[in-house]
């Protein structure tokens, strides 16, 4: 737990995080039913983008077909919760295990080849392209229409209505950030992942097999994203092929890139910024929204490749350093 | 029976040729220049819509000239504005060009709408010709001739002409080529434009065989990346064999079962082949 204690030590971002968390917790007092639904949905998507950040930002595994995990989670939860009577607890677990198994099945053989990072992304894109195609053409799982009437999430006999689901999602979105910080920034596992990103060959010589760590990050990414997909299915009561295709994959990438990869919080920032801009649009502007999004994305990739959050953090830290320098100079000791 | 088999094989060959043309373009951009251009499918789409627009006014044959020109010019513009800033940054290139393809898909949808469009084959090529003892579509025969000629032309261009020599020199050692007086920026722009033009031509060639919609180039994008990854970066003959393998599997399995199964089998085989071609040496794993 020393890692947790260290988070708050003299840093602005975690304190700001607590303020945001309190504001979010108080939101149902002021927000209407629809506003609450939108916010819940955005928080669910935060978990999906967190999943991508684990694989890509920390594991160095570029996944251009990330939606496959989200869709697998959503479809698994949807089918099990609607058709089987084994309980939603098991449905959620399955919605994490199925994407995880798939990640292992696809990730292990491909990652063990010497394909470069970008090539792996393209292979995953192909996998993501096949999934909706199969669903559309075979008509299984509702075909191109998807299917609805997925019941509300019921865990240990408690049915999660809109408000309860909101708090549940908020808790998990927070846990995702904190847990991600402890596991990926503070633990030996996270340290080794970073070492692999910086110098894969040298890390291997030190006795850590990069392949195992990358696959682990990829599988963990699938687990988190599958969970997000299950929550999304429970929230909207509906699953369709759009949740598994390449457009959604691209959207998640755009959120993460705009926010900043390898920062955990950056993805959340990206989802909030972009989704809430989208929600405020209407009419003609909404029609060209994806076009605008594409242009913004390309500009960000060229001019701010590290994303917005690292820029903001840099700004805060330079302010703090300036403050420290002022104090040091004022006291005349150095 | 024999006639059916010949027909299926000829159909497969003509589809392979479209894949071959698109892959030749990507072979130039990705295989030679090492630019991972995910907007290649978008270029194919623009080529298809160019011939569709031409066909509204005049003979679609004009589209075969116009499509590579239009897309070539767009490719030059893309190189000058986006790609030029990202040489040597593969990850940023992947993302920027993937964003670019979103812009192209959405832009095309904004102009033409999401509906499927039809393009007729050029009038000159509407009849049939006698090929290997069967009456076969003149248009598809034309595709086979076109694909093989383009393969020959591309190889000739990079092996025997000054432009090809300079282009290869720039790719192999940019600094030395520049020091020897080659206009590096110009060569890069032109090479990228050439690859884009081939994508445009592939789109124009594909349009009369399929329905044209904003995402029409997407499948060809993935297929041509697979072809270049399997055929070997920098080998045009390798591209031919990989096109034949993947396109052949797709057409023949698609004929025997369903179109979707054909595509699924093709992709699975492609992914397996890629991991085999790019497998690690045992000493790397341990």
């Amino acid at each position: 737990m020393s890692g947790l204690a260290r988070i708050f030590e003299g840093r602005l971002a975690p304190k700001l995080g607590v303020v945001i968390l309190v504001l979010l917790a108080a939101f149902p007092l002021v927000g209407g039913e629809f506003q609450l639904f939108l916010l819940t949905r955005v928080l669910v998507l935060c978990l999906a983008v967190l999943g991508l950040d684990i694989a890509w930002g920390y594991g160095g595994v570029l996944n251009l077909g990330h939606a496959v995990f989200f869709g697998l989670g959503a479809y698994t939860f949807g089918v099990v919760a609607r058709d089987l009577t084994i309980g939603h607890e098991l449905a959620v677990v399955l919605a994490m295990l199925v994407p995880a198994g798939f990640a292992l099945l696809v990730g292990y053989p491909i990652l063990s080849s010497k394909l470069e990072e970008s090539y792996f992304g393209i292979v995953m894109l192909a996998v993501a392209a096949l999934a909706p195609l199969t669903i559309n053409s075979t008509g299984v799982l509702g075909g191109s229409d998807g299917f609805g009437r997925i019941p509300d999430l019921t865990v240990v006999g408690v049915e999660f209505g809109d408000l309860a689901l909101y708090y549940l999602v908020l808790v998990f979105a927070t846990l995702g950030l904190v847990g991600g910080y402890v596991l990926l920034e503070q633990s030996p596992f996270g340290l080794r992942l970073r070492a692999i990103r910086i110098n894969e060959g040298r890390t291997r010589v030190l006795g850590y097999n990069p392949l195992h760590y990358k696959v682990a990050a990829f599988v963990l990414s699938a687990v988190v994203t599958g969970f997000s997909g299950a929550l999304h299915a429970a929230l909207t009561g509906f699953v369709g092929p759009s949740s598994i295709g390449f457009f959604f994959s691209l959207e998640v990438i755009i959120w993460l890139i705009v926010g900043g990869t390898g920062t955990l919080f950056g993805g959340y920032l990206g989802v909030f910024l972009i989704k809430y801009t989208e929600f405020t649009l209407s009419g003609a502007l909404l029609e060209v929204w994806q076009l605008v999004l594409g242009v913004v994305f390309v500009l960000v990739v060229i001019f701010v490749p590290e994303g917005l959050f690292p820029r903001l953090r840099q700004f805060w830290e330079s302010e703090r350093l300036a403050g420290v320098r002022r104090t040091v100079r004022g006291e005349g000791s150095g | 029976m024999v006639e059916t088999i010949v027909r299926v094989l000829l159909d497969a060959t003509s589809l392979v040729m479209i894949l071959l043309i698109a892959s030749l373009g990507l072979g130039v951009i990705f295989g030679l220049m090492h630019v991972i251009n995910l907007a290649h499918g978008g270029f194919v789409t623009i080529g298809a819509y160019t011939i569709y627009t031409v066909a509204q006014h005049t003979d679609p044959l004009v589209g075969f000239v116009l499509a590579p020109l239009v897309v070539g010019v767009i490719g030059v513009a893309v190189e000058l504005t986006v790609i030029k800033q990202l040489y040597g940054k593969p990850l940023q290139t992947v993302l920027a060009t993937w964003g670019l393809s979103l812009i192209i898909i959405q832009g095309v949808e904004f102009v033409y709408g999401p509906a499927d469009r039809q393009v007729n084959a050029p009038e000159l090529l509407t009849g049939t010709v006698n090929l290997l003892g069967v009456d076969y579509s003149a248009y598809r025969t034309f595709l086979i001739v076109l694909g093989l000629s383009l393969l020959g032309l591309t190889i000739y261009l990079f092996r025997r002409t000054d432009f090809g020599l300079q282009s290869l020199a720039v790719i192999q050692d940019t600094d030395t080529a520049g020091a020897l007086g080659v206009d590096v920026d110009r060569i890069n722009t032109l090479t990228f434009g050439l690859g884009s033009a081939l994508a445009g031509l592939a789109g124009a060639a594909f349009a009369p065989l399929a329905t044209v919609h904003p995402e029409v180039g997407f499948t060809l994008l993935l297929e041509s990346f697979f072809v270049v990854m399997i055929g070997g970066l920098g080998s045009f003959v390798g591209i031919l064999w990989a096109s034949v393998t993947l396109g052949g599997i797709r057409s023949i399995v698609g004929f025997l079962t369903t179109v979707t199964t054909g595509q699924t089998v093709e992709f699975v085989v492609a992914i397996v082949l890629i991991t085999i071609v790019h497998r690690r040496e045992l000493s790397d794993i341990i």
Side-chain angles (χ1 to χ4, degrees), chain A:
Chain A
M1 290 307 278
S2 69
L4 262 183
R6 250 183 291 156
I7 295 179
F8 287 95
E9 211 178 273
R11 293 177 59 179
L12 187 57
K15 290 172 193 156
L16 201 69
V18 171
V19 174
I20 294 172
L21 189 60
V22 170
L23 287 178
L24 284 175
F27 183 81
L29 298 175
V30 288
E33 198 179 322
F34 186 61
Q35 290 299 325
L36 192 69
F37 170 78
L38 290 184
L39 188 57
T40 315
R41 191 153 169 253
V42 167
L43 284 168
V44 169
L45 296 176
C46 280
L47 282 169
V49 82
L50 176 73
L52 184 63
D53 203 13
I54 294 171
W56 185 10
Y58 289 89
V61 181
L62 172 61
N63 185 356
L64 294 178
H66 188 62
V68 165
F69 299 149
F70 186 86
L72 276 177
Y75 271 104
T76 307
F77 178 81
V79 169
V80 175
R82 189 192 58 170
D83 296 342
L84 303 179
T85 51
I86 54 173
H88 289 183
E89 298 86 352
L90 211 55
V92 173
V93 171
L94 280 175
M96 296 193 280
L97 285 182
V98 170
F102 187 73
L104 196 63
L105 196 73
V106 177
Y108 195 86
I110 304 177
L111 283 170
S112 58
S113 71
K114 62 178 178 192
L115 279 180
E116 281 169 32
E117 194 178 351
S118 336
Y119 300 6
F120 181 80
I122 296 167
V123 171
M124 282 309 294
L125 183 62
V127 173
L130 278 182
L133 196 76
T134 312
I135 291 173
N136 283 342
S137 64
T138 55
V140 293
L141 302 167
S144 56
D145 295 331
F147 62 88
R149 290 187 294 107
I150 297 168
D152 277 352
L153 187 65
T154 309
V155 181
V156 284
V158 185
E159 192 176 317
F160 280 76
D162 294 347
L163 190 66
L165 188 64
Y166 170 72
Y167 281 110
L168 184 79
V169 171
L170 183 61
V171 165
F172 275 106
T174 314
L175 274 181
L177 266 191
V178 176
Y181 182 80
V182 172
L183 181 69
L184 298 168
E185 301 270 3
Q186 302 287 325
S187 77
F189 175 72
L191 201 66
R192 283 163 206 163
L193 278 181
R194 198 193 309 166
I196 290 165
R197 276 206 318 284
I198 294 170
N199 191 331
E200 190 169 329
R202 199 168 289 176
T203 313
R204 181 179 306 141
V205 173
L206 286 173
Y208 304 107
N209 189 338
L211 176 64
H212 296 166
Y213 285 89
K214 283 184 172 187
V215 172
F218 194 53
V219 170
L220 182 63
S221 156
V223 169
V224 172
T225 314
F227 182 64
S228 165
L231 287 177
H232 196 265
L235 172 69
T236 57
F238 172 80
V239 200
S242 67
S243 67
I244 207 165
F246 73 92
F247 258 119
F248 184 63
S249 296
L250 181 56
E251 260 191 297
V252 183
I253 289 169
I254 295 177
W255 299 331
L256 183 59
I257 288 292
V258 169
T261 45
T263 60
L264 295 174
F265 189 71
Y268 283 41
L269 182 72
V271 178
F272 267 86
L273 276 181
I274 292 171
K275 269 297 169 193
Y276 271 97
T277 314
E278 190 181 326
F279 291 151
T280 57
L281 298 177
S282 59
L285 218 52
L286 196 62
E287 264 178 49
V288 292
W289 166 241
Q290 285 188 316
L291 194 63
V292 176
L293 195 62
V295 174
V296 170
F297 176 57
V298 173
L299 291 177
V300 167
V301 169
I302 296 175
F303 295 109
V304 204
E306 73 274 32
L308 292 181
F309 181 63
R311 278 286 166 98
L312 287 175
R313 195 167 51 186
Q314 217 176 7
F315 179 70
W316 289 330
E317 279 171 7
S318 63
E319 286 289 292
R320 227 183 70 217
L321 277 179
V324 171
R325 271 194 218 105
R326 271 196 295 277
T327 323
V328 170
R329 247 182 256 132
E331 287 173 4
S333 61

